[in-house]
């Protein structure tokens, strides 16, 4: 595991006059603006649905269904992208679903329509994500997988921070009127689509960035065995990953922080997310998959720190959670691109998302259930799962075929 698991590369051919780093940055800008839109909306989804008469059960079911759609439907959209090779079309369609449905939430007026739009926004993410990650993977072949995906993730997080803050400001100015607060998100939404069409015109074939020699193939179109081992590692380390919902529950229930301070801590964790993504991305390009050993270490550290009754230590645990999340959302995706040949990459990203989604559900249930039973037992189980994850990572590095 001394080097990233990737094909032997020649210098990238120019694609429509735009260099690979410019492509990564402009695509990062698209994601920044898109996160501005949908994270702004997600920050008030619960109160919005409640204002239309939804119970806590309805809010939970609708938002849960949305997340299930965002991850589960990628099992369909990934293979579809590889089969049709219409990566730009699927990416644009997915972004369009999101940026159109969010402003409409502000004028929905009835609960059933708002619920439909919440789920539609998440379906948009499912449609675009495998195609988007594949497009990005081609450019990062020239920039360095780790750094390219890390820059993209860091720009993502800027939008995730600014969007909710803008929505909060408009709500304050309008006396909690959801219409203007969500309507203002149409502006970055339009910018998303304009940038996408411009990028497609300038770079119609991003695969031109990725020129390979003696690229490995898989028999009968099957994904490499190393991918499945890597998926096992990801499932294990994600299963032990506590959700921020459980962390914030502990902070408030143990009277370590007031509810008003929880969003501030979340924002700080998002900042750590961006820094961790940039740092590990750079290290990945130098040292390969071995840097991912940091993920099980950080995941184990989260439960050891965050579930204490000391404010400073618990807050530190939440910031470590942000660092682990940054690695999950950047370097984990970069490794998929290095393990899977270009022709099957969107399928791999779709399957990978399904694994992450199932493991996230299991992890939330595991940490939430054990938290209510025994915190020492919770820590012991999570640490044991992360040891298993570390072993699977070592196998991934030695089993590349």
């Amino acid at each position: 595991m001394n080097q990233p698991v990737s094909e032997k590369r020649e210098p990238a051919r120019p694609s429509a006059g735009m260099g690979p780093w410019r492509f990564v940055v402009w695509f990062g800008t698209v994601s920044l603006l898109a996160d501005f839109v949908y994270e702004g909306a997600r920050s008030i989804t619960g109160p919005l649905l409640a204002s239309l008469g939804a119970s806590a059960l309805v809010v939970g079911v609708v938002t849960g269904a949305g997340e299930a759609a965002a991850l589960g439907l990628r099992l369909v959209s990934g293979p579809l992208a590889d089969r049709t090779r219409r990566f730009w079309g699927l990416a644009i369609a997915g972004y369009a679903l999101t940026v159109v449905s969010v402003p409409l939430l502000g004028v929905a007026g009835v609960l059933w329509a708002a619920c439909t739009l919440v789920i539609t926004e998440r379906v948009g993410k499912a449609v675009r994500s495998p195609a988007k990650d594949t497009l990005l993977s081609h450019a990062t072949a020239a920039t360095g997988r780790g750094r390219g995906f890390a820059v993209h993730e860091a720009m993502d997080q800027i939008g995730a921070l600014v969007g909710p803050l803008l929505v909060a400001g408009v709500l304050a100015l309008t006396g909690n009127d959801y219409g203007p607060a969500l309507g203002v998100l149409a502006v970055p939404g339009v910018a998303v689509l304009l940038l996408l069409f411009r990028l497609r015109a300038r770079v119609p074939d991003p695969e031109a960035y990725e020129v390979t020699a003696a690229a490995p193939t898989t028999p009968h179109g099957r994904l490499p065995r190393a991918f499945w081992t890597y998926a096992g590692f990801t499932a294990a380390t994600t299963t032990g990953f506590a959700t921020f919902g459980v962390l914030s529950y502990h902070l408030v229930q143990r009277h370590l922080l007031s509810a008003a301070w929880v969003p501030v801590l979340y924002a700080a964790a998002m900042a750590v997310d961006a820094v961790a993504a940039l740092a590990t991305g750079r290290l990945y390009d130098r040292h390969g998959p071995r840097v991912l050993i940091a993920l099980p270490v950080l995941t184990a550290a989260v439960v050891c720190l965050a579930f204490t009754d000391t404010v400073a230590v618990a807050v530190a645990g939440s910031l470590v959670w942000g660092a682990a999340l940054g690695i999950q959302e950047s370097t984990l995706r970069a490794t998929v691109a290095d393990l899977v040949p270009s022709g099957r990459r969107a399928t791999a990203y779709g399957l990978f998302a399904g694994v992450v989604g199932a493991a996230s559900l299991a992890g939330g249930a595991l940490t939430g259930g054990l938290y209510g039973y025994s915190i020492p037992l919770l820590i012991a189980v999570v640490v044991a799962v992360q040891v298993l994850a570390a072993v699977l990572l070592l196998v991934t590095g030695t089993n590349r075929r």
Side-chain angles (χ1 to χ4, degrees), residues 6-18:
S6 58
E7 301 95 341
K8 182 181 177 181
R9 299 186 183 98
E10 299 171 0
R13 295 194 301 263
S15 182
M18 180 178 285

Side-chain angles (χ1 to χ4, degrees), residues 73-157:
L73 290 179
R74 296 185 211 187
L75 296 172
V76 176
S77 63
L80 178 64
D82 275 337
R83 239 183 356 257
T84 64
R85 312 306 291 173
R86 296 182 180 275
F87 299 111
W88 277 120
L90 288 167
I92 292 171
Y95 277 114
L97 278 175
T98 289
V99 303
V100 169
S101 61
V102 165
L104 290 178
L105 267 174
V107 295
V110 293
L111 180 59
W112 69 266
C115 292
T116 301
L117 289 167
V118 168
I119 295 173
T120 299
E121 184 275 309
R122 295 283 83 192
V123 170
K125 188 170 181 66
V127 170
R128 70 178 179 262
S129 288
K132 177 204 72 177
D133 285 343
T134 301
L135 291 170
L136 186 63
S137 74
H138 295 316
T140 60
T143 65
R145 299 278 192 216
R147 284 178 295 173
F149 275 93
V151 168
H152 183 269
E153 168 64 12
M155 296 182 74
D156 236 26
Q157 293 309 106

Side-chain angles (χ1 to χ4, degrees), residues 20-116:
W21 264 121
R22 285 186 66 194
F23 182 83
V24 168
V25 171
W26 279 111
F27 219 136
T29 304
V30 168
S31 291
L32 184 158
L33 292 169
D35 269 44
F36 195 121
V37 175
Y38 73 78
E39 294 289 10
R42 292 178 74 197
S43 70
I44 58 168
T45 295
L48 170 66
L49 295 180
S51 73
L52 297 174
S55 65
L57 175 60
V58 170
V59 172
V61 169
V62 170
T63 54
E67 292 309 308
L71 291 167
L73 290 179
R74 296 185 211 187
L75 296 172
V76 176
S77 63
L80 178 64
D82 275 337
R83 239 183 356 257
T84 64
R85 312 306 291 173
R86 296 182 180 275
F87 299 111
W88 277 120
L90 288 167
I92 292 171
Y95 277 114
L97 278 175
T98 289
V99 303
V100 169
S101 61
V102 165
L104 290 178
L105 267 174
V107 295
V110 293
L111 180 59
W112 69 266
C115 292
T116 301

